[in-house]
Amino acid sequence: NAGVTQTPKFQVLKTGQSMTLQCAQDMNHEYMSWYRQDPGMGLRLIHYSVGAGITDQGEVPNGYNVSRSTTEDFPLRLLSAAPSQTSVYFCASSYTGDSGNTIYFGEGSWLTVV
Amino acid sequence: AQTVTQSQPEMSVQEAETVTLSCTYDTSESDYYLFWYKQPPSRQMILVIRQEAYKQQNATENRFSVNFQKAAKSFSLKISDSQLGDAAMYFCAYRPRLNTGTASKLTFGTGTRLQVTL
């Protein structure tokens, strides 16, 4: 029972590099999302998806792209990394509707941009 | 827009004692969920307890209970018989029950760091 799997767990990038954080879930959840957590703050929503082929922006989307080609996968792309994107990133998934009162989080991906 | 406020950046409790963490929120919705998440140093997000706004009864999970005051928009977490393993960051979070589109997102408070001393 894998739940929500994020890779990599740790990554160091140079300014201007691009990379993709992977997120996969095996629970057939419609809803998937990406959050970032910065010191002294709670998690903030970057992008979300309510199903395959459907994505939308959250609270802090600038500098990130997402796609949802399958129900299981929701990768987060950093187009040109900046030091301000140094953060811990969490992927989450749930059902939509009334069943969506349980949100499952991945273990987080620690990203440092130098 | 919904907001969640945790006014206590840090709290301390002695082992075996009781501590209450505060959370207030602001929303125009009438039906929603409230959550407390625990985040230990590993950064894993662990669901502690969940409250449905349409339920008047306060949720309890073993040593953890909430005091949900819907009219006051208050949702505090009480930890009884505190243990060393309870030391962590605690986040209060809100989600509308009609969770489609942007309404699906969790809105988090800034967290309360709980220390447990011997």
Side-chain angles (χ1 to χ4, degrees):
Chain A
N1 187 10
V4 179
T5 303
Q6 288 182 234
T7 56
K9 194 167 179 63
F10 300 96
Q11 183 72 49
V12 178
L13 282 180
K14 293 182 179 179
T15 297
Q17 286 185 319
S18 62
M19 78 156 296
T20 299
L21 298 176
Q22 302 289 347
C23 177
Q25 51 92 10
D26 60 356
M27 297 171 282
N28 203 33
H29 286 164
E30 305 100 329
Y31 182 74
M32 295 185 75
S33 55
W34 277 101
Y35 291 84
R36 61 178 287 173
Q37 183 181 22
D38 301 308
M41 305 186 73
L43 280 66
R44 293 183 294 167
L45 183 67
I46 304 171
H47 284 285
Y48 68 95
S49 169
V50 297
I54 306 170
T55 64
D56 207 343
Q57 297 181 350
E59 184 183 353
V60 287
N62 291 340
Y64 307 94
N65 269 358
V66 292
S67 60
R68 185 97 179 266
S69 56
T70 67
T71 299
E72 295 79 17
D73 301 300
F74 190 46
L76 178 72
R77 297 183 185 84
L78 280 71
L79 309 172
S80 177
S84 61
Q85 294 178 303
T86 294
S87 190
V88 183
Y89 292 83
F90 289 92
C91 181
S93 75
S94 72
Y95 293 110
T96 56
D98 259 1
S99 303
N101 59 2
T102 299
I103 301 99
Y104 297 81
F105 283 90
E107 294 187 343
S109 296
W110 301 59
L111 176 67
T112 301
V113 182
V114 297
Chain B
Q2 296 88 6
T3 58
V4 177
T5 302
Q6 293 179 250
S7 58
Q8 305 156 316
E10 290 190 9
M11 293 283 286
S12 183
V13 63
Q14 283 192 322
E15 198 177 19
E17 296 296 309
T18 296
V19 65
T20 299
L21 308 184
S22 301
C23 173
T24 59
Y25 59 94
D26 188 24
T27 182
S28 58
E29 303 282 341
S30 60
D31 209 359
Y32 45 86
Y33 298 110
L34 295 164
F35 307 86
W36 278 99
Y37 281 91
K38 172 184 178 182
Q39 189 180 50
S42 67
R43 294 288 190 126
Q44 185 180 1
M45 295 293 287
I46 302 167
L47 178 65
V48 174
I49 200 164
R50 174 180 56 230
Q51 175 79 43
E52 289 89 347
Y54 60 89
K55 291 185 178 178
Q56 292 186 339
Q57 187 173 6
N58 289 325
T60 62
E61 288 286 344
N62 301 315
R63 298 182 295 107
F64 299 88
S65 61
V66 298
N67 183 3
F68 173 50
Q69 302 289 329
K70 190 172 184 180
K73 296 180 180 174
S74 170
F75 182 60
S76 61
L77 174 70
K78 186 172 82 171
I79 306 174
S80 304
D81 186 25
S82 296
Q83 300 175 0
L84 293 177
D86 295 333
M89 197 76 167
Y90 286 82
F91 290 99
C92 178
Y94 162 98
R95 186 186 201 186
R97 185 177 180 186
L98 183 62
N99 51 15
T100 57
T102 53
S104 302
K105 79 174 197 132
L106 282 168
T107 301
F108 286 87
T110 53
T112 296
R113 184 172 303 282
L114 179 66
Q115 290 185 320
V116 181
T117 59
L118 294 171

Coordinates of all heavy atoms in Angstrom, one line a residue, chain B residues 75-106:
Chain B
F75 N -11.3 26.5 16.8 CA -11.1 25.1 16.7 C -9.8 24.7 17.5 O -8.8 24.6 16.9 CB -11.0 24.7 15.3 CG -10.8 23.2 15.0 CD1 -11.8 22.3 15.4 CD2 -9.7 22.8 14.3 CE1 -11.6 21.0 15.1 CE2 -9.6 21.4 14.0 CZ -10.5 20.5 14.4
S76 N -9.9 24.5 18.8 CA -8.7 24.3 19.6 C -8.5 22.8 19.7 O -9.4 22.0 19.7 CB -8.8 25.0 20.9 OG -9.9 24.5 21.6
L77 N -7.2 22.4 19.9 CA -6.8 21.0 20.1 C -6.3 20.9 21.5 O -5.4 21.6 21.9 CB -5.7 20.7 19.1 CG -5.0 19.3 19.3 CD1 -6.0 18.2 18.9 CD2 -3.7 19.2 18.4
K78 N -6.8 19.9 22.2 CA -6.4 19.6 23.5 C -5.6 18.2 23.5 O -6.2 17.2 23.0 CB -7.5 19.5 24.5 CG -7.1 19.3 25.9 CD -8.2 19.4 26.9 CE -9.0 18.1 27.0 NZ -10.0 18.2 28.2
I79 N -4.4 18.2 24.0 CA -3.6 17.0 24.1 C -3.5 16.7 25.6 O -3.0 17.5 26.4 CB -2.2 17.2 23.5 CG1 -2.3 17.7 22.1 CG2 -1.5 15.9 23.6 CD1 -1.0 18.0 21.5
S80 N -4.0 15.5 26.0 CA -4.0 15.1 27.4 C -2.9 14.1 27.6 O -2.5 13.4 26.6 CB -5.3 14.4 27.7 OG -6.4 15.3 27.5
D81 N -2.4 14.1 28.8 CA -1.3 13.1 29.2 C -0.2 13.2 28.1 O 0.2 12.2 27.5 CB -1.9 11.7 29.2 CG -0.9 10.7 29.7 OD1 0.1 11.0 30.4 OD2 -1.0 9.5 29.3
S82 N 0.3 14.4 28.0 CA 1.3 14.7 26.9 C 2.5 13.7 27.0 O 3.0 13.4 28.1 CB 1.8 16.1 27.0 OG 0.8 17.0 26.8
Q83 N 3.0 13.3 25.9 CA 4.2 12.4 25.8 C 5.3 13.1 25.0 O 5.0 14.0 24.2 CB 3.7 11.1 25.1 CG 2.6 10.4 25.9 CD 2.1 9.2 25.2 OE1 2.6 8.8 24.1 NE2 1.1 8.5 25.8
L84 N 6.5 12.6 25.2 CA 7.6 13.2 24.5 C 7.5 13.1 23.0 O 7.9 14.0 22.3 CB 8.9 12.4 24.9 CG 9.4 12.7 26.4 CD1 10.6 11.8 26.7 CD2 9.6 14.1 26.7
G85 N 6.8 12.0 22.6 CA 6.6 11.9 21.1 C 5.6 12.9 20.5 O 5.4 12.9 19.3
D86 N 4.9 13.6 21.4 CA 4.0 14.6 20.9 C 4.7 15.9 20.5 O 4.1 16.8 19.8 CB 2.9 15.0 22.0 CG 2.0 13.9 22.4 OD1 1.8 13.0 21.5 OD2 1.6 13.8 23.5
A87 N 5.9 16.0 20.8 CA 6.7 17.2 20.4 C 6.8 17.3 18.9 O 7.2 16.3 18.2 CB 8.1 17.2 21.0
A88 N 6.3 18.4 18.3 CA 6.2 18.5 16.9 C 5.6 19.9 16.6 O 5.3 20.7 17.5 CB 5.3 17.5 16.3
M89 N 5.5 20.2 15.3 CA 4.8 21.3 14.8 C 3.4 20.9 14.6 O 3.2 19.8 14.0 CB 5.4 21.8 13.5 CG 5.1 23.2 13.1 SD 5.9 24.4 14.1 CE 5.6 25.9 13.2
Y90 N 2.4 21.7 15.0 CA 1.0 21.4 14.8 C 0.4 22.4 13.9 O 0.5 23.6 14.2 CB 0.3 21.2 16.1 CG 0.6 20.0 16.9 CD1 1.8 19.9 17.6 CD2 -0.2 18.9 16.8 CE1 2.1 18.8 18.3 CE2 0.2 17.7 17.5 CZ 1.3 17.7 18.2 OH 1.6 16.5 18.9
F91 N -0.3 22.0 12.8 CA -1.0 22.9 11.9 C -2.5 22.6 12.0 O -3.0 21.5 11.9 CB -0.5 22.6 10.5 CG 0.9 23.1 10.2 CD1 1.9 22.1 10.2 CD2 1.2 24.4 10.0 CE1 3.2 22.6 10.0 CE2 2.5 24.8 9.7 CZ 3.5 23.9 9.7
C92 N -3.2 23.7 12.0 CA -4.6 23.7 11.9 C -5.0 24.0 10.4 O -4.3 24.8 9.7 CB -5.2 24.8 12.8 SG -7.0 25.0 12.7
A93 N -5.9 23.3 9.9 CA -6.3 23.5 8.4 C -7.8 23.4 8.2 O -8.5 22.8 9.0 CB -5.6 22.4 7.6
Y94 N -8.2 24.1 7.2 CA -9.6 24.2 6.8 C -9.8 23.7 5.4 O -9.0 24.0 4.5 CB -10.0 25.7 7.0 CG -11.3 26.1 6.3 CD1 -12.5 26.1 7.0 CD2 -11.3 26.4 4.9 CE1 -13.7 26.5 6.3 CE2 -12.5 26.7 4.2 CZ -13.6 26.8 5.0 OH -14.8 27.1 4.3
R95 N -11.0 23.1 5.1 CA -11.3 22.7 3.8 C -12.9 22.8 3.6 O -13.6 22.2 4.5 CB -10.8 21.3 3.4 CG -11.0 20.9 2.0 CD -10.7 19.5 1.8 NE -10.4 19.2 0.4 CZ -10.1 18.0 -0.1 NH1 -10.1 16.9 0.7 NH2 -9.9 17.8 -1.4
P96 N -13.4 23.4 2.6 CA -14.8 23.4 2.4 C -15.3 22.0 2.1 O -14.6 21.2 1.6 CB -15.1 24.3 1.2 CG -13.8 25.1 1.0 CD -12.7 24.3 1.6
R97 N -16.5 21.7 2.5 CA -17.0 20.3 2.3 C -17.3 20.1 0.8 O -17.1 19.1 0.3 CB -18.3 20.1 3.1 CG -18.8 18.7 3.0 CD -20.0 18.5 3.8 NE -20.5 17.1 3.7 CZ -21.6 16.6 4.3 NH1 -22.4 17.5 5.0 NH2 -22.0 15.4 4.1
L98 N -17.8 21.2 0.1 CA -18.1 21.1 -1.3 C -16.7 21.3 -2.0 O -16.4 22.4 -2.4 CB -19.0 22.2 -1.7 CG -19.4 22.2 -3.2 CD1 -20.1 20.9 -3.6 CD2 -20.3 23.3 -3.5
N99 N -15.9 20.2 -2.0 CA -14.5 20.4 -2.4 C -14.3 20.1 -3.9 O -13.9 19.0 -4.3 CB -13.6 19.5 -1.6 CG -14.1 18.1 -1.5 OD1 -14.9 17.7 -2.3 ND2 -13.5 17.4 -0.5
T100 N -14.7 21.0 -4.7 CA -14.4 20.9 -6.1 C -13.6 22.2 -6.5 O -13.8 23.3 -6.0 CB -15.7 20.9 -7.0 OG1 -16.5 22.0 -6.7 CG2 -16.5 19.6 -6.6
G101 N -12.7 22.0 -7.5 CA -12.0 23.2 -8.0 C -11.1 23.8 -6.9 O -10.6 23.1 -6.0
T102 N -11.1 25.1 -6.8 CA -10.3 25.7 -5.8 C -10.8 25.5 -4.4 O -10.0 25.6 -3.4 CB -10.2 27.3 -6.0 OG1 -11.6 27.7 -6.1 CG2 -9.5 27.6 -7.3
A103 N -12.0 25.1 -4.3 CA -12.6 24.8 -3.0 C -12.0 23.6 -2.4 O -12.1 23.3 -1.2 CB -14.1 24.7 -3.1
S104 N -11.3 22.8 -3.2 CA -10.7 21.6 -2.7 C -9.5 21.8 -1.9 O -9.0 20.9 -1.2 CB -10.3 20.7 -3.9 OG -11.4 20.4 -4.7
K105 N -8.9 23.0 -1.9 CA -7.6 23.2 -1.3 C -7.8 23.3 0.2 O -8.8 23.8 0.7 CB -7.0 24.5 -1.8 CG -7.5 25.8 -1.3 CD -6.6 26.9 -1.7 CE -6.9 28.2 -0.8 NZ -5.6 28.8 -0.4
L106 N -6.7 22.9 0.9 CA -6.6 23.1 2.3 C -6.0 24.4 2.5 O -5.0 24.8 1.9 CB -5.7 22.0 2.9 CG -6.2 20.6 3.1 CD1 -5.1 19.6 3.4 CD2 -7.2 20.6 4.2

